Amino acid sequence: MLPTPAPTLLPASAMVIVYNSESFYVVEYPSEQGFEVVDKYTRRGTFLTGDLAQRFRCSMQGMIAVGPSEEDVDDFLGELDALMTQRVTFH
């Protein structure tokens, strides 16, 4: 049996790019237990926290498990458009 690796500690300000395509990007902020999702075309985004962030994580993990195409992931993220109300002015 292999030993369990020690958890990696990220700086409090760490962000992890989860997904980046021509249309969207998704960034996880582990210290805030949240995800930022941005539609690059509309230049709008949202920040998901709490239960919504947990459901988003589970949905993304389920999608990744089946090996989706970039188009599949973009379609999934596009379904969040009603939540993307924050205008991105500088990022």
Side-chain angles (χ1 to χ4, degrees):
M1 180 179 246
L2 296 174
T4 305
T8 303
L9 298 176
L10 297 172
S13 62
M15 59 185 239
V16 179
I17 297 172
V18 175
Y19 180 74
N20 188 16
S21 72
E22 191 174 309
S23 304
F24 293 94
Y25 80 78
V26 178
V27 177
E28 180 179 13
Y29 295 89
S31 63
E32 297 179 36
Q33 298 178 352
F35 290 90
E36 179 180 25
V37 182
V38 172
D39 181 330
K40 293 178 180 180
Y41 288 121
T42 65
R43 300 184 76 180
R44 294 196 179 272
T46 190
F47 190 78
L48 309 173
T49 60
D51 290 339
L52 189 54
Q54 283 300 100
R55 288 195 303 265
F56 178 76
R57 175 191 299 280
C58 289
S59 295
M60 286 295 287
Q61 287 173 336
M63 179 174 286
I64 291 167
V66 299
S69 68
E70 184 175 303
E71 185 177 282
D72 293 335
V73 178
D74 283 355
D75 288 345
F76 168 75
L77 294 172
E79 293 176 11
L80 300 174
D81 65 338
L83 298 174
M84 292 188 223
T85 59
Q86 299 297 315
R87 188 126 182 86
V88 176
T89 55
F90 178 75
H91 219 282

